[in-house]
Every structure is written in structure tokens, then in C-alpha cells.
Amino acid sequence: MASTAKTVEAVISAAWGKPQSWTLDSYRSRGGYDGLKRALSMEPAAIIDEVKKSNLRGRGGAGFPTGMKWSFVPKDSPKPKYLAVNGDESEPGTFKDRYILENDPHMMLEGIAIASYALGVHTCYVYLRGEFKFQAERTQAAIDEAYKAGIFGKSLMGKEGFALDCFLVRGAGAYICGEETALLESLEGKKGWPRLKPPFPAVVGLFGCPTVVNNVETLASVPPILAKGADWYAKLGTDKSGGTHLVCLSGSVNRPGVYEVGMHTTILELIHDDKYGQGMPKGRKVKAVIPGGSSAPVLGADELDVALEFEALKMKQTMAGSGGVIVMDDATCMVRSLWRVARFYAEESCGQCTPCREGTPWQTRLLRKIEEGRAEMSDIDMLSNVASSIAPYPPIGLGNTICALGDAAALPTHSFLMRFRDEFEAHVREHRCPYGDHPWGSFGDWS
Amino acid sequence: MAEPLFTPEEQKKFDAGIAEILSHYPSDRKSAGMLPALRLLQDLKGWLPPDGLRLVAKSLEVTPERAYEVASFYVMYHLKKPGKYVIDVCTNLSCSLWGAEKMLAYLEQKLGLTAGETNDKFTLRETECLASCGTAPCLQINEDHHERLTQAKLDAILARLS
Ligand SMILES: Cc1cc2nc3c(=O)[nH]c(=O)nc-3n(C[C@H](O)[C@H](O)[C@H](O)COP(=O)(O)O)c2cc1C
Ligand code: SF4
Ligand code: FES
């Protein structure tokens, strides 16, 4: 399809691909740190109000309003407060934060500075997944530049009496550390076991102190809000969700990649428009799309005229999640796809809660049996029951576990079964995978 | 006598590294430095030998059991000595839709290893999403990242590993 999708103003990705875009000089030449300058002339409470008015919602998965989260931090706490940046980026199908870290890390650092000033935070930890070696080097270089330029350090960009330290920490390979309380445990030097909530991190977080956990993209969205105003930012989006956002397009589509889109951009536009995915591989049609990282319930081909936005996707009983849009074409086996997703959650369960610890490998075993043509019809019902015992559906969010990894493991199963049950039954009836040795769609045969 | 864990040069790097790590945390929270300290040790030795774990624990004023508990939770720490090159192949959904399973099978055959096995030169592992789903398939070799892999590209990369 030619480009008919409405053009979207690039707020976050404007500098990507420009020479040296990751350096402080480049960032400053584009008005970088002007937002911080304005913030430092304001009352902290007014900054939080500005972010509230912008309708910025968290980009890490849950879409929680950022200004509201910041306002939960107690103002009169005698304890220090912390900011923890979530750069764990491990939800399958998600690869946007790395592009911010690679192309424009100062945008995130300015967001950190503004948030810290607004919240009275003097120490920030940036937690990056362990596999981000190159991204960690880039980010550390930017942090070093910011210290040298007097942005971080004893006085925040010249603000007497307001010190801000920023430390980078690398994880070591554990998806669960993206869950905010597991991230805090990991930052405390422990294994990543999620904590029971409440208390929420805003009240009892890192080292028992009030802590805000925000995603990389969320923080990178803050400087433009301060520089250009909350009204401008809010107007870019919908009533309930301000700004633009990054989506990660992958799977069976001609041009996978990270695209900055509006809150109105639909899945169909993302897949087919010349500005974005440039359509399906030749002769193929869309069969299924996971719209928000592998934990988001899958949609069928007739459900894709929907905006990639929190509220619109919620109406379809799925979620915008982390912005990972995974496309499967009509030559892809749904059982094989779900089996792979289920294996991931079984592998990454921390093992604290029985439904998650026992249920996730059980799902995997049943799916393997179905895919290999060894299952009976009753195994399909069993699979559905196992998923329900981890977390029923719909609606989303009824999980029986400490953290939402349980939900993340059950939602794919429920939604695949709801939309593609006939394929599961065909495996049982034919005692084999109908796709034979080619279950992975049109790009699945590597050479 | 048993070989000392570190050469004098390594010892210096370790001590300086630990001091730097500890400066990032409140003074009563030394144990928070566990992940970076384990990484420091692994960068120096290529894995986490038991002597090293004890040393990390001592530096952070925790028990060796605690260091082991953390080290064994995270997949990037090597509690056994790996091959010279650790190859981690992502086979998660988006990569499999671009042939990752076939790429892994090719590697298994070429290296004579099944995923999860180690020989002198290589450790081959299947891993989870590496945030390269848009540039699939991908893998990491000793944490260096390679994307958009074709068989020709992969052969060229392997040929450079001596
Ligand atoms: C299992 C699990 C994994 C998660 N992984 C990530 C992640 O990799 N990155 C991220 O930003 N948020 C992740 N989250 C969401 C965080 O818990 C948290 O909501 C988020 O960091 C808040 O930031 P935001 O308000 O800026 O979105 C994950 C949540 C769960 C339950
Ligand atoms: S739901 Fe799973 S990952 Fe989350 S705390 Fe429970 S066992 Fe751990
Ligand atoms: S699925 Fe392989 S990098 Fe994401």
C-alpha cells in the first residue's frame, strides 16, 4: 500500500541515523537540555503537574500515567529517594529502548535529570539488561559526558545545592528482572524475585526507600514535554494518552523495524504502509498479530483495524504492552508459535509461586505433545485449564501470582486457543503438524 | 601449592574495580554490588571459579552461599568454565519466523555440538529474545552481537574465530 497513513511528528526518533547523534554536542545543537533548563526554573510540584497534563503513560508495559506515578512518592520522607530506570528490555518482540540508548542516550539522561529534580532524587540507577554490551558502553559514555559538562554531579546543571549521581548497572540475563520489584531486588544485589505489592516501590522501593521505576522510553519522552509544553504533547495523542510512541515491528513482514507512530496509527497501517512495514511477503496474508510483546493476547486477521494504543487495544481484550508487534503469516503454525512462547515463560519463571512454577512447564509439555501429533482432544482442554489456573481470561489482570509473569504466560495460551482452536484440533486429528517441516511462515527457511 | 587465583595485574584490576563498584552504593549496602562484582570477576577469569566467588563474597561482606545463589540465578554467569567462544543463539518467536531454528541446526552440525554443550573452543547455547527481533536472526558471541545473519555471513564470522 502506498503511504496513506497520517504523518507523525518524530518526537523521540528525530535524530536517529544522523552523524554522531549520541554525543552531547549533537544533542545540544538540537536544543538538548533546554527542557531541563526550564524545569530548573520551576517548582518541583509544577513539573509533576506538567507531566500529568501531558498525558504521558509509561512505555514499559502497563501504560501507567507517569505524572500520577511520580505524585505517589511521599514528599516529606526522611529517607533518600531513588530513581531506577528500566532498560531490561527483554519482552520478546521488543527492541525499541536499545535504539534510544544507541542513537540518543542524552534524551533519556535529560529525562532522568528532570525526573530527579521533580522528585527530590539524588541517586539514579540505570539498569540495562546484561546482553546490552554495546548499548551500555554508549550510555556510559553519555553519562561521562554529562558529568564532565556539569549536568550530573555536585550541582545539577549549575543548580546550587542539588546533587545528582547517575550509575549504570548491567543485569546478567534474566527476563524477570524487567518486572519492577525484581529489578529492585537485582539492584540490591540479589536474585530477581519479585516482591508482593503493596507496598508499591513509590513508597517502599530500593533499600526500603521511596523509588520511582520508569522505562527508558518513558524518561526519553519527558524532555520534549518540558521544552515544548504539556499541551503540545497531549495534543499529539488521544484524550487519555499523550504524545507519540515507538513500536517494534517484527516477524513476517517485508520491512521490520522500530517506527515512531501516533496513538491513532493502526496495526493495518503499520504492517502495510510504505512508511512502515511495506506489506506482507509476496503471496502471503496476515494470519495473526501479537500487538504488545509476546505476553499480549494475539489478534486474528479480521481484528487489525485497531489503533496501537492502550485503550483501543484494551477494548479488544489485549494490550499495547511494550510496543512489540509480531506478525505471523498464513503459512505459520500457531501451535508451534505458542509452544515457543510458552517455553520462554517456563524458562523465565522465577519459581516463587506454584501456579507459575508448575503451570508454565506443564503448558510447554502439552503444547509439545500437540505439535508433535501425540495429543488427544482432551489435552487441548487440559491446556486451557492449566492456563486458567495461572491466570483466567478475559479480562486481563486476574492472575493468581505474585507478579504479572503468570498472566504473561497464560494470556498467549488463552488467546491462541480462543482464536485458532481449529489448528490445535487439526494437529490432534491428523496426528501431525499440518505444516510439516515448515512451520515458520515465509521467512522461516533460513539460508 | 594451589595456583593463586589472580596474577598481580589481575589483582590490581579486581581491587580497583571493587572500590569503584562500592562507591556507587550507600556504605551500609555493600552487598548491592553483587552483580557488577561478579561481572568484574568473570571479565578477568572468563568464568566464576569457586575461589573467586569466595573473594567477591568477602569483598561485599556476605557469605559465599549468597554469592553462589546470585551467580546461579542469572544465565550470563558461568559457574563452569565455558569454551573460548560462547555462542548464544536466539530462537524466540520473531527470530524463528526468520529461520533461527534452522540457523541453530546449521551451527550444531557445523560445530559438532548440540545446544547446551561445550568443547574446548565453543559453548553453544539456545537463548531467549536478544532485542534484535527486527534484525533477525541474531546471536551473540562472547556478548558481541551479530544480526541479520545469513549462512554466508555466519560462515564469515566463524572463520574469523581462531
Ligand atoms: C514479567 C515482567 C517483565 C517486565 N519487563 C519489563 C522490561 O523489560 N522493561 C520495562 O520497562 N518494563 C518491564 N515490565 C514493566 C515494569 O514492571 C514496570 O511496569 C515499568 O518498568 C514501569 O515503567 P513505566 O511506568 O515507565 O512504564 C515488566 C513487567 C513484568 C510483569
Ligand atoms: S508469577 Fe512467576 S515469575 Fe512472578 S513471582 Fe510468581 S513464580 Fe516468579
Ligand atoms: S526474538 Fe530473537 S531477538 Fe527477539
Side-chain angles (χ1 to χ4, degrees), chain A residues 48-283:
Chain A
I48 298 178
D49 279 342
E50 187 90 1
V51 174
K52 270 189 190 158
K53 262 196 339 206
S54 77
N55 284 341
L56 171 63
R57 293 173 65 169
R59 307 291 195 237
F64 197 83
T66 305
M68 202 195 297
K69 187 185 272 188
W70 292 7
S71 69
F72 292 155
V73 174
K75 269 154 216 71
D76 44 7
S77 163
K79 293 178 178 169
K81 300 167 197 161
Y82 293 102
L83 176 62
V85 183
N86 194 338
D88 196 60
E89 188 148 74
S90 310
E91 170 81 4
T94 314
F95 47 99
K96 62 190 177 69
D97 295 335
R98 68 172 273 209
Y99 285 86
I100 296 174
L101 301 170
E102 288 171 21
N103 290 293
D104 215 355
H106 280 287
M107 206 163 174
M108 173 190 74
L109 297 185
E110 186 181 359
I112 287 172
I114 294 168
S116 298
Y117 184 65
L119 296 163
V121 161
H122 299 287
T123 309
C124 167
Y125 295 99
V126 180
Y127 186 96
L128 301 188
R129 63 177 296 175
E131 293 85 351
F132 277 178
K133 180 182 173 195
F134 170 68
Q135 292 79 3
E137 287 164 3
R138 253 279 143 98
T139 306
Q140 186 60 54
I143 293 173
D144 293 346
E145 278 186 312
Y147 267 101
K148 232 171 148 180
I151 296 165
F152 292 158
K154 285 209 168 59
S155 47
L156 176 61
M157 207 163 77
K159 189 84 181 176
E160 283 304 320
F162 197 100
L164 178 59
D165 274 314
C166 179
F167 302 116
L168 187 145
V169 179
R170 284 175 71 188
Y175 163 70
I176 192 58
C177 292
E179 195 282 334
E180 57 186 5
T181 60
L183 184 146
L184 296 175
E185 288 286 302
S186 187
L187 271 177
E188 291 183 1
K190 305 179 199 154
K191 58 187 191 298
W193 272 20
R195 301 173 182 170
L196 263 177
K197 292 187 274 192
F200 290 95
V203 184
V204 183
L206 187 65
F207 306 135
C209 302
T211 304
V212 164
V213 183
N214 271 141
N215 168 263
V216 169
E217 184 189 346
T218 309
L219 287 163
S221 302
V222 169
I225 294 171
L226 269 291
K228 296 195 186 173
D231 291 335
W232 163 80
Y233 190 82
K235 273 201 202 107
L236 292 173
T238 64
D239 291 353
K240 286 189 174 165
S241 191
T244 59
H245 65 148
L246 299 175
V247 292
C248 324
L249 181 62
S250 70
S252 298
V253 57
N254 284 326
R255 200 171 65 133
V258 175
Y259 301 106
E260 184 163 355
V261 300
M263 296 295 171
H264 53 76
T265 308
T266 67
I267 298 180
L268 281 181
E269 286 173 325
L270 182 71
I271 294 174
H272 294 290
D273 198 274
D274 270 0
K275 283 199 286 285
Y276 310 126
Q278 301 184 347
M280 296 298 289
K282 212 163 168 233

Side-chain angles (χ1 to χ4, degrees), chain A residues 91-95 129 250, chain B residues 90-96 100 127-134 136-138 145:
Chain A
E91 170 81 4
T94 314
F95 47 99
R129 63 177 296 175
S250 70
Chain B
C90 170
T91 57
N92 211 306
L93 182 55
S94 303
C95 280
S96 278
T127 194
E128 297 299 351
C129 178
L130 292 168
S132 287
C133 330
C138 67
H145 199 61

Side-chain angles (χ1 to χ4, degrees), chain A residues 125 190 336 340 343 445, chain B residues 24 74 91 101-102 126:
Chain A
Y125 295 99
K190 305 179 199 154
R336 184 66 163 247
R340 185 61 189 87
R343 235 174 75 199
D445 289 324
Chain B
H24 297 177
Y74 297 91
T91 57
E101 284 192 351
K102 302 233 151 103
E126 199 174 352

Side-chain angles (χ1 to χ4, degrees), chain B residues 4-160:
Chain B
L5 177 66
F6 291 139
T7 64
E9 190 61 26
E10 286 170 345
Q11 185 71 53
K12 245 176 47 211
K13 280 191 190 153
F14 182 80
D15 293 341
I18 292 287
E20 168 72 25
I21 288 164
L22 291 179
S23 75
H24 297 177
Y25 300 99
S27 53
D28 59 343
R29 295 283 182 175
K30 286 196 171 71
S31 60
M34 185 61 80
L35 270 76
L38 292 173
R39 181 176 286 281
L40 172 68
L41 173 65
Q42 186 158 297
D43 285 347
L44 289 169
K45 301 309 297 181
W47 66 300
L48 301 176
D51 290 1
L53 278 178
R54 277 191 287 275
L55 198 62
V56 165
K58 199 169 144 222
S59 311
L60 303 183
E61 295 169 14
V62 297
T63 60
E65 288 74 16
R66 170 75 188 284
Y68 180 80
E69 177 187 57
V70 176
S72 59
F73 184 80
Y74 297 91
V75 299
M76 289 179 74
Y77 295 129
H78 300 296
L79 288 165
K80 281 199 202 115
K81 198 169 179 171
K84 184 171 174 196
Y85 299 103
V86 178
I87 306 185
D88 284 316
V89 184
C90 170
T91 57
N92 211 306
L93 182 55
S94 303
C95 280
S96 278
L97 288 165
W98 281 78
E101 284 192 351
K102 302 233 151 103
M103 180 170 83
L104 178 63
Y106 175 76
L107 269 170
E108 287 183 326
Q109 183 236 330
K110 182 157 175 151
L111 304 179
L113 287 172
T114 304
E117 288 180 349
T118 292
N119 62 20
D120 283 349
K121 194 166 167 191
F122 294 106
T123 292
L124 182 63
R125 304 194 298 186
E126 199 174 352
T127 194
E128 297 299 351
C129 178
L130 292 168
S132 287
C133 330
T135 42
C138 67
L139 52 73
Q140 295 204 323
I141 303 178
N142 291 353
E143 298 181 25
D144 286 328
H145 199 61
H146 303 274
E147 304 171 89
R148 282 192 222 275
L149 290 168
T150 58
Q151 189 171 317
K153 216 168 142 181
L154 184 56
D155 283 339
I157 292 166
L158 292 174
R160 287 200 301 270

Side-chain angles (χ1 to χ4, degrees), chain A residues 176 194 348-354 356-357 401-406:
Chain A
I176 192 58
E348 300 296 337
S349 166
C350 84
Q352 268 190 108
C353 325
T354 313
C356 177
R357 182 184 60 241
T401 51
I402 292 176
C403 90
L405 187 142

